[in-house]
Amino acid sequence: RGGFQSILTQAKAGSGRNTSGSTNTSRQSLEKNAGDAAKQKSFYSVKFKGTEGLVPAPHAGWPISFSFAVNRVNLVRAPDIANQNLPSENYTIGAMPNFVAPEVKKFMTWDYVVFAALFLVSASIGVFFAVKERKKKTSKEFLVGGKQMACGPIAFSLTSSFMSAVTVLGTPSEVYRYGASFVLFFLSYTLVIIFTAELFLPVFYRSGITSTYEYLELRFNKIVRLAATLIYILQTILYTGIVVYAPSLALNQVTGFDLWGSVAATGIVCTFYCTLGGLKAVVWTDAFQMIVMVAGFMTVLIRGTSLNGGWTKVWEDAHEGSRLNIFDFDVDPLRRHTFWTIVIGGTFTWLGLYGVNQSTIQRCISCKSEKHAKLALYLNLLGLWTVLVCAVFCGLVMYSHYRSCDPWTAAFISAPDQVQMCITIIRSCFGLRYSTNSVQCSMSFQHSGTKLMPYFVMDIFSSMPGVPGLFVACAFSGTLSTVAASINALATVTFEDLIKKGFPNLSEKMSTWISKGLCVLYGVLCTSMAAAASLLGGVVQASLSIHGMCGGPMLGLFTLGIVFPCANWKGALGGLLAGISLAFWAGTGSFIYPAPPTKSIPLQLSTLNCTLANSTEALVTPAPMVAPERPLLADTWYSLSYLYFSAIGCMGCVITGLLISFITGPSKGEDIPPVLIKPVCNLFCFWSKRLKIFLWCGVQHNSLEMDFEKKIPKVAANKTRTDYTTNNTNKENNHQI
């Protein structure tokens, strides 16, 4: 039993029976012990080194796990694991009440009609642009819309692309369980858009590039460009597949909507309109889907508030439930969400997605001018605020509705796939050391929070056929826009960075057909990845984190190139590898050794008004095992808030890159085209021209005329540009000077 003792005793008057140590847990004994406990109304307490945690009374809200001073014990509902063949000596028995779940209707005919309309309209937009643009055969028209897009649809497209179904379903559940501090992301979004519009976008737009990774070859060399391109392709395919699978699974288990039907429909429709209409079809479809997303949120808000006594009552309930404690200025970086982790960590995380991400920059450089591109970003900020506020208020309305009968605690919402994931981890990785990964199971139960929002919608709209279909269309609008943006960006990056480099003399017609073929290829790959996600088990959570862990080092790489003229290609490559290593080290460590539960404690949830059934359900807890040893870094480095992973990767890349650059010999500023560098020092040294010139590191920012074909490295001379692109680039650049 190692360093601690665990004793199970009856908490109230009972039969005098003492269940101590390990108990055989066949299905019959589970039911018998649960039945005895129910008859005697007796429950159990658990003791760890003298720190006792008593299981609450039936109406106080039953937790999935408790936190103790030394470790965490997970309580897993017996029916979920009774048939899983777990070693009987590893479990002891408790009991919990069984509640009567209210009847929640599944999808009806009108819901399917509304949902199908979303896919039909999306596909129709692709057909429209395929017919309209049939005479424009160039790859530029297909991939970047001929650089003639207006700011309005681009703004809608940006918002829709980065507010995926995970956001639509997950943010309200986050607010429901942890409070409205999530609204502080509006500060992160603001900083992200300012940095993107004023620091990164001008450099990308004036460079006349199509792929963001094209910049890395102009600034460094081919090796850096290739490394960044391959990392982007791999992480985007992986992430996109899971973005399709996760919401489809949640909606399937709550609404009864067919899982593989929704996955296949998403992949087919996105591939269809991306291939036919190119970027223009993607942008206008995203704009339509953004409207659907907001309409779905507003429908839920109006109906939810009317059922719960209006906004005043919802606000009072949220205040009484401590959901409005937004500002927590604790500087502890281990805390999951505080003011500082959200504002600082959130800014780095989202800047990796907005500032240097191909999907964002591709849309911005498709605008008719740099001014339109900046305006699109700032209008997009309004869209981000709108979706964020809607999602947060949906969470508060949901809490007001379920404040006295939490469906998650009462087991109205199950998570069989996550329980199976825990069991797979226990068997395959940790053998009998169940307690080693007990927190992983707790985390997987938290993932069932994505089912809470669909459950709420099906509950409040049970008497209104068609409206649940509108919300599911809202959720899948986020999925469609994210997948379409990823497919289009992947096709662009692959064509510009790989195929065009190997075959520079392709005709425009052949280039267009290859671009369309790449859209089909990546549509199939992303859909296949969604199918594979169902088999990944515990890797799913790690896969979702990979997007954030890669975003930080990429941000650091582009920051090295744009802000620091002294950085050379060796520093860039070394910094990228160091940043990825640091981010994955912290991220993987946090997955294996999760932070102490005290760093992310959910707020109180109650089952006070839930209808109690006549029977009691068995609770299974792991029997006392040898306490797993946690390394020294487990409660420090590995316990950092997930929002800091991107910051770690970015700072690691920049610092390492600068050190290597100075050791190997910094780049000469005279050899770097000024268009590739953003002189941020001008903001801080406006009072001294001499100091400004010194900090330019030799880059000729004061030159009034620039010959692009001579100034940009030789690769630019081989780059095929249309006349309007070159003229527009020179015009914008001269205007800036």
Side-chain angles (χ1 to χ4, degrees):
R1 299 179 187 270
F4 64 89
Q5 296 288 331
S6 176
I7 302 174
L8 290 172
T9 57
Q10 296 176 343
K12 294 184 178 180
S15 63
R17 207 172 107 211
N18 184 12
T19 307
S20 178
S22 301
T23 306
N24 289 332
T25 55
S26 64
R27 189 176 185 85
Q28 292 77 13
S29 63
L30 286 177
E31 294 173 352
K32 183 177 185 300
N33 286 336
D36 293 345
K39 292 175 183 177
Q40 300 161 14
K41 297 184 179 179
S42 57
F43 303 95
Y44 303 106
S45 62
V46 185
K47 183 178 289 187
F48 280 92
K49 286 185 177 177
T51 303
E52 184 169 338
L54 184 65
V55 180
H59 293 301
W62 284 80
I64 294 301
S65 60
F66 324 135
S67 301
F68 291 95
V70 179
N71 208 322
R72 170 181 280 197
V73 170
N74 271 56
L75 304 181
V76 184
R77 295 180 180 87
D80 288 333
I81 65 169
N83 295 319
Q84 299 298 336
N85 258 339
L86 289 166
S88 60
E89 66 273 12
N90 288 331
Y91 294 90
T92 50
I93 304 305
M96 71 172 291
N98 194 12
F99 298 105
V100 178
E103 183 181 357
V104 176
K105 294 183 179 179
K106 300 295 184 180
F107 249 40
M108 301 175 68
T109 303
W110 280 107
D111 298 316
Y112 282 103
V113 170
V114 173
F115 181 74
L118 169 72
F119 284 85
L120 183 62
V121 173
S122 299
S124 300
I125 293 175
V127 174
F128 172 78
F129 279 101
V131 174
K132 181 182 178 183
E133 309 289 333
R134 63 186 182 278
K135 294 182 180 180
K136 299 178 181 179
K137 299 293 184 181
T138 66
S139 59
K140 291 284 185 185
E141 287 284 346
F142 184 79
L143 296 175
V144 291
K147 292 199 170 184
Q148 294 298 310
M149 300 296 294
C151 59
I154 293 294
F156 276 107
S157 178
L158 287 172
T159 304
S160 181
S161 295
F162 289 96
M163 289 297 174
S164 66
V166 176
T167 304
V168 174
L169 301 178
T171 301
S173 299
E174 169 76 22
V175 174
Y176 176 84
R177 298 196 65 213
Y178 293 95
S181 60
F182 205 86
V183 78
L184 291 174
F185 270 100
F186 88 92
L187 293 174
S188 301
Y189 296 161
T190 304
L191 293 174
V192 165
I193 296 303
I194 292 173
F195 278 117
T196 302
E198 306 302 331
L199 177 61
F200 295 105
L201 176 63
V203 174
F204 290 135
Y205 197 93
R206 295 168 198 169
S207 299
I209 61 176
T210 301
S211 162
T212 52
Y213 306 102
E214 201 173 340
Y215 168 85
L216 296 176
E217 184 172 353
L218 298 176
R219 177 65 177 85
F220 299 115
N221 63 11
K222 296 179 181 179
I223 298 175
V224 179
R225 176 182 182 177
L226 181 62
T229 299
L230 293 177
I231 290 172
Y232 173 78
I233 290 174
L234 290 175
Q235 60 127 343
T236 304
I237 291 174
L238 187 64
Y239 175 76
T240 304
I242 295 171
V243 162
V244 175
Y245 173 73
S248 297
L249 178 65
L251 292 167
N252 162 260
Q253 295 186 353
V254 175
T255 66
F257 193 81
D258 185 74
L259 171 62
W260 298 113
S262 61
V263 169
T266 300
I268 292 171
V269 171
C270 286
T271 304
F272 179 77
Y273 68 77
C274 283
T275 304
L276 286 183
L279 182 69
K280 286 187 177 180
V282 173
V283 167
W284 282 103
T285 305
D286 287 350
F288 163 71
Q289 289 161 0
M290 175 64 188
I291 295 172
V292 174
M293 197 182 301
V294 174
F297 269 132
M298 294 306 298
T299 304
V300 173
L301 285 173
I302 293 171
R303 175 66 173 172
T305 51
S306 64
L307 290 176
N308 292 284
W311 282 113
T312 303
K313 184 64 167 61
V314 169
W315 198 260
E316 289 175 356
D317 291 338
H319 179 72
E320 292 174 1
S322 302
R323 262 60 185 178
L324 300 181
N325 297 334
I326 296 173
F327 296 98
D328 180 359
F329 292 99
D330 188 352
V331 295
D332 183 2
L334 309 185
R335 292 280 304 279
R336 183 169 177 270
H337 280 169
T338 65
F339 178 86
W340 304 112
T341 55
I342 291 176
V343 173
I344 298 175
T347 297
F348 274 96
T349 300
W350 277 85
L351 198 55
L353 292 174
Y354 259 82
V356 298
N357 186 277
Q358 170 65 23
S359 182
T360 304
I361 300 303
Q362 183 177 343
R363 283 160 172 67
C364 291
I365 62 178
S366 71
C367 290
K368 59 182 67 175
S369 68
E370 184 183 326
K371 182 179 178 181
H372 272 261
K374 286 187 176 182
L375 187 57
L377 281 171
Y378 286 114
L379 288 175
N380 155 68
L381 178 59
L382 297 178
L384 292 176
W385 284 347
T386 301
V387 174
L388 177 64
V389 170
C390 287
V392 169
F393 273 103
C394 277
L396 296 179
V397 171
M398 193 158 53
Y399 173 73
S400 178
H401 191 76
Y402 293 125
R403 67 189 182 281
S404 58
C405 185
D406 173 41
W408 189 75
T409 304
F412 301 157
I413 304 174
S414 61
D417 55 306
Q418 287 87 356
V419 174
Q420 181 60 47
M421 181 183 79
C422 290
I423 292 162
T424 302
I425 294 173
I426 296 164
R427 287 178 175 172
S428 304
C429 304
F430 298 98
L432 299 181
R433 294 176 60 192
Y434 179 89
S435 56
T436 301
N437 221 40
S438 61
V439 181
Q440 299 288 2
C441 291
S442 168
M443 291 168 66
S444 70
F445 273 112
Q446 291 176 14
H447 278 74
S448 67
T450 55
K451 302 175 185 177
L452 194 57
M453 187 66 177
Y455 179 87
F456 175 60
V457 170
M458 297 303 293
D459 187 6
I460 65 175
F461 290 116
S462 58
S463 61
M464 303 173 67
V467 182
L470 176 62
F471 176 77
V472 173
C474 162
F476 270 91
S477 290
T479 298
L480 286 172
S481 57
T482 302
V483 174
S486 297
I487 291 173
N488 193 256
L490 286 168
T492 303
V493 166
T494 304
F495 179 76
E496 292 289 336
D497 296 341
L498 300 179
I499 293 177
K500 205 169 180 180
K501 295 297 294 182
F503 305 94
N505 298 320
L506 289 172
S507 66
E508 284 296 339
K509 184 176 181 180
M510 179 60 67
S511 297
T512 303
W513 278 108
I514 291 175
S515 299
K516 292 185 176 184
L518 288 171
C519 286
V520 174
L521 172 64
Y522 282 119
V524 173
L525 285 176
C526 290
T527 306
S528 301
M529 186 63 225
S534 63
L535 306 175
L536 288 176
V539 182
V540 172
Q541 182 187 342
S543 303
L544 288 170
S545 302
I546 285 175
H547 205 61
M549 287 187 265
C550 291
M554 287 292 188
L555 175 63
L557 178 61
F558 281 98
T559 303
L560 270 176
I562 292 173
V563 178
F564 299 99
C566 57
N568 60 26
W569 74 268
K570 296 175 183 176
L573 193 59
L576 177 62
L577 295 176
I580 288 180
S581 299
L582 283 172
F584 271 80
W585 178 23
T588 305
S590 69
F591 183 70
I592 299 174
Y593 301 102
T598 54
K599 300 300 179 182
S600 58
I601 302 176
L603 297 175
Q604 178 67 31
L605 296 170
S606 173
T607 56
L608 180 63
N609 290 336
C610 292
T611 304
L612 192 62
N614 293 328
S615 62
T616 303
E617 190 175 287
L619 258 180
V620 181
T621 66
M625 303 296 294
V626 176
E629 293 184 4
R630 288 169 65 87
L632 294 176
L633 296 176
D635 294 326
T636 52
W637 178 251
Y638 296 157
S639 296
L640 284 171
S641 171
Y642 72 97
L643 289 173
Y644 283 128
F645 293 161
S646 188
I648 290 170
C650 177
M651 298 304 295
C653 177
V654 171
I655 294 172
T656 305
L658 290 176
L659 288 175
I660 295 176
S661 295
F662 280 113
I663 292 172
T664 58
S667 297
K668 295 180 180 180
E670 295 82 0
D671 299 331
I672 303 175
V675 72
L676 300 180
I677 304 293
K678 183 69 175 178
V680 293
C681 58
N682 291 358
L683 294 173
F684 310 103
C685 306
F686 59 89
W687 47 273
S688 174
K689 183 177 180 181
R690 181 178 299 179
L691 182 59
K692 280 196 299 185
I693 294 176
F694 172 75
L695 293 176
W696 288 348
C697 300
V699 180
Q700 303 300 311
H701 288 296
N702 54 358
S703 175
L704 294 178
E705 294 182 1
M706 280 184 281
D707 184 349
F708 277 78
E709 297 301 327
K710 292 180 180 179
K711 282 293 193 179
I712 292 181
K714 293 181 180 180
V715 65
N718 298 325
K719 178 177 171 56
T720 303
R721 290 190 178 95
T722 58
D723 291 339
Y724 70 82
T725 303
T726 305
N727 294 337
N728 195 36
T729 303
N730 281 304
K731 180 180 176 181
E732 290 289 341
N733 186 71
N734 291 333
H735 173 71
Q736 177 68 12
I737 293 172

